[in-house]
Amino acid sequence: MSTINGLPAHILLVHAIVVLAPLTALLAILSALWPTVRRRLVWLTVALATVVSVLTPITTDAGEWLERRVGRTPDLRNHTHLGDTFIYFAIPLLAVAILLAVIHVRENRGRALSRTLVGAVAVLTIAAGVAATVQVYRIGESGARAGWSGVATAPVRAGK
């Protein structure tokens, strides 16, 4: 995917990741810690984690297309490198969402898992959620730096 309505697809797709990854992380952590939230939101969490996992390589591919069309700078190289790593954060987020769904299904069938196992899943969920959110921030900050570095200090151009 290269463009959407004439705009680089990466710039549009990245906003979905920036919103959905931290939202998914938050829902997963809440579902891991509170059974009531898990009962209500676990399937939404799995769906969002799936969307993030699917959108990640599409967004990365669109970013590579865009990268070939703009001047390559050290800031852009850093952003590209960080962006390529996000799949390693999206997949664990999906994995813990699936584990939370397994816990939910077992609880509904009256075959709850041990508290120790549920606690271990909660710890993994918190780690995956925080890591994904931090990585989204790092990638976004590096992208903003690559795209906007020097703009604030550039001289103002007179309008026509």
Side-chain angles (χ1 to χ4, degrees):
M1 182 176 297
S2 56
T3 62
I4 298 173
N5 283 339
L7 296 173
H10 177 73
I11 294 169
L12 299 172
L13 291 169
V14 77
H15 287 86
I17 299 289
V18 166
V19 170
L20 294 179
L23 175 62
T24 304
L26 177 63
L27 292 176
I29 291 168
L30 291 174
S31 293
L33 298 176
W34 288 286
T36 303
V37 173
R38 183 169 49 245
R39 281 190 291 276
R40 293 183 178 178
L41 298 177
V42 72
W43 297 115
L44 174 62
T45 305
V46 171
L48 290 174
T50 302
V51 168
V52 168
S53 294
V54 169
L55 278 181
T56 295
I58 294 169
T59 304
T60 303
D61 185 55
E64 290 168 1
W65 176 89
L66 181 59
E67 180 184 22
R68 288 189 296 273
R69 281 153 182 78
V70 298
R72 197 149 180 191
T73 65
D75 285 338
L76 182 57
R77 227 180 336 268
N78 182 50
H79 175 64
T80 301
H81 171 70
L82 287 172
D84 287 340
T85 67
F86 191 69
I87 193 69
Y88 302 113
F89 294 83
I91 296 300
L93 195 56
L94 176 59
V96 295
I98 291 169
L99 288 173
L100 291 168
V102 168
I103 290 169
H104 171 71
V105 168
R106 289 193 55 117
E107 287 172 343
N108 279 350
R109 293 182 178 169
R111 299 183 312 169
L113 298 170
S114 72
R115 290 180 63 132
T116 303
L117 192 53
V118 172
V121 170
V123 168
L124 288 174
T125 301
I126 293 166
V130 168
T133 301
V134 168
Q135 193 66 355
V136 163
Y137 171 82
R138 292 179 68 219
I139 295 165
E141 191 276 335
S142 71
R145 187 169 304 285
W148 296 102
S149 181
V151 171
T153 58
V156 177
R157 291 189 223 168
K160 292 183 180 185

